[in-house]
Every structure is written in C-alpha cells, then in structure tokens.
Amino acid sequence: MSRGGFPGGFGGINMNQIMKQAKKMQEDVSKTQADLANKTYESTTGGGAVYVKMNGEKRLLELKIKKEVVDPDDVEMLQDLIISAVNEATNQADQDAAKELGKYNIPGLGL
C-alpha cells in the first residue's frame, strides 16, 4: 500500500541527483564570476594617447594620459578619449562575462 506522494520520486526523476547538479552548477557559476572579477581589460584611444586598465568588476585600475594630448584649449577632446577608452574596456568585460556565464544558460542572470 502506497503512503501517497510520488512513487520513485517525481515521475521517476531523482530529486537528490537534481539537487546535486544544481549545487555543482552554482559552484561553477560562482567560480566563473570570481575568475572574471580577477581578469583585466585594457583599452587605448587616440593612437595610445589615453590608456585604461579595468578589472572584471568594472573598476578602473589604471589611467595613463600622454602629456602631448593635454591641451587646455581642447579639454573636450581629452574627455572624449577617456570616455571612449573606459567604454571600450567596459564592453570587453561585458562581452567576456556574457560568453563565460552564458554557457550556463540560466534565466535571469542579466546577460
């Protein structure tokens, strides 16, 4: 006589195995996120006039500006070069994260 519930689990699905797989995937995603956070991304603009280095958490680690690009009469150009270099490094980090985390195919990860 059956005590109710689902014989053999949910339609033969082993819930323990599913939980183990989910835990492993969570550990893999966490490791991938940590690896991505430790990566660095570099970008230059203006033929090397502006250089930026950013980590996978999108924190600016380094900014170099060549003296010859600093023109008090054209501050807007320097601002544009910095913005462009930072945006390019950010795009590199985003693309890398999308590629690495996308392989897990988890809805709601925001990729």
Side-chain angles (χ1 to χ4, degrees):
M1 182 195 274
S2 174
R3 294 200 264 170
F6 298 97
F10 293 95
I13 299 172
N14 183 335
M15 289 304 290
N16 285 334
Q17 184 64 28
I18 290 173
M19 295 303 291
K20 284 180 186 177
Q21 289 174 346
K23 183 177 181 191
K24 168 110 172 67
M25 182 182 285
Q26 183 180 20
E27 290 169 356
D28 291 347
V29 168
S30 292
K31 183 184 181 320
T32 299
Q33 288 172 324
D35 290 346
L36 285 167
N38 290 321
K39 282 188 169 186
T40 58
Y41 303 90
E42 301 174 8
S43 177
T44 60
T45 56
V50 174
Y51 164 86
V52 298
K53 184 176 181 180
M54 176 180 292
N55 69 13
E57 293 178 322
K58 300 178 195 168
R59 297 201 185 275
L60 197 58
L61 302 174
E62 196 173 336
L63 170 65
K64 293 181 183 177
I65 302 170
K66 289 189 175 178
K67 289 180 184 182
E68 56 269 16
V69 79
V70 180
D71 180 355
D73 295 327
D74 194 4
V75 174
E76 291 83 14
M77 181 193 68
L78 179 56
Q79 291 169 338
D80 289 344
L81 290 173
I82 293 169
I83 289 168
S84 181
V86 169
N87 286 341
E88 175 56 30
T90 301
N91 287 339
Q92 290 174 22
D94 287 342
Q95 289 174 5
D96 206 16
K99 183 181 100 183
E100 291 299 316
L101 294 172
K103 65 186 173 190
Y104 296 109
N105 197 19
I106 302 171
L109 227 109
L111 303 175

